[in-house]
Amino acid sequence: KECSPPSASPLFQQTGGYTGPLAAVPDFNLGADDFVIEMDVTPQTPGMNQHGGTIIGRHQSGVALGWALILTNSLHVVLTLYGATGYDMRAPPWKPACVQDDVTFLGWWGGELMSARALTVGQKQRVVFSRRDQDLSL
């Protein structure tokens, strides 16, 4: 459901810059209710052989549970789910059919929910991640 407009109210809205570890809040997970997470992202050029960073997530390194919105090296947004069933993630060079340009993964797998186009370096862009019933949208 690429670029479908969110229908729920924002679950979390931060009015300033990043000020703390949202991922450390224990009850912040995808749950079963509808939600909308909107954020402004201004990506920078990733370092050589690095991904673009984690935008937001709730997971712990080394533990196969949780989720994260990750920027690939080519600055595509991809939802990574750890320990989930029914969500398609595959090793590169696979990518969802909706992706319209080339993706550089550098070790990350392609996820079923991925941006159709890469974000632009140095430009503030709005990223919206939402859930309505059992449908996740980016």
Side-chain angles (χ1 to χ4, degrees):
K1 294 198 171 187
E2 180 66 33
C3 299
S4 60
S7 60
S9 299
L11 173 68
F12 173 80
Q13 187 170 11
Q14 185 165 331
T15 57
Y18 177 77
T19 59
L22 179 63
V25 178
D27 61 351
F28 191 80
N29 61 55
L30 294 181
D33 295 326
D34 292 351
F35 64 81
V36 175
I37 302 171
E38 296 183 48
M39 62 217 94
D40 289 329
V41 177
T42 306
Q44 302 305 310
T45 303
M48 182 179 283
N49 296 320
Q50 296 180 346
H51 65 82
T54 300
I55 298 172
I56 187 172
R58 176 73 172 108
H59 66 94
Q60 180 179 346
S61 182
V63 178
L65 297 171
W67 62 275
L69 287 179
I70 305 284
L71 281 174
T72 65
N73 179 267
S74 55
L75 301 180
H76 288 80
V77 180
V78 61
L79 173 64
T80 300
L81 294 177
Y82 304 96
T85 57
Y87 181 74
D88 197 5
M89 292 189 69
R90 300 184 199 174
W94 179 84
K95 63 183 181 182
C98 69
V99 177
Q100 300 173 4
D101 48 8
D102 292 331
V103 180
T104 305
F105 289 101
L106 293 180
W108 289 100
W109 284 27
E112 190 173 341
L113 188 59
M114 187 172 192
S115 61
R117 289 172 297 284
L119 300 183
T120 304
V121 170
Q123 180 178 334
K124 182 167 79 171
Q125 292 136 102
R126 175 65 47 110
V127 174
V128 179
F129 175 46
S130 65
R131 176 184 182 153
R132 183 172 188 189
D133 298 322
Q134 294 299 310
D135 295 328
L136 295 172
S137 298
L138 179 62

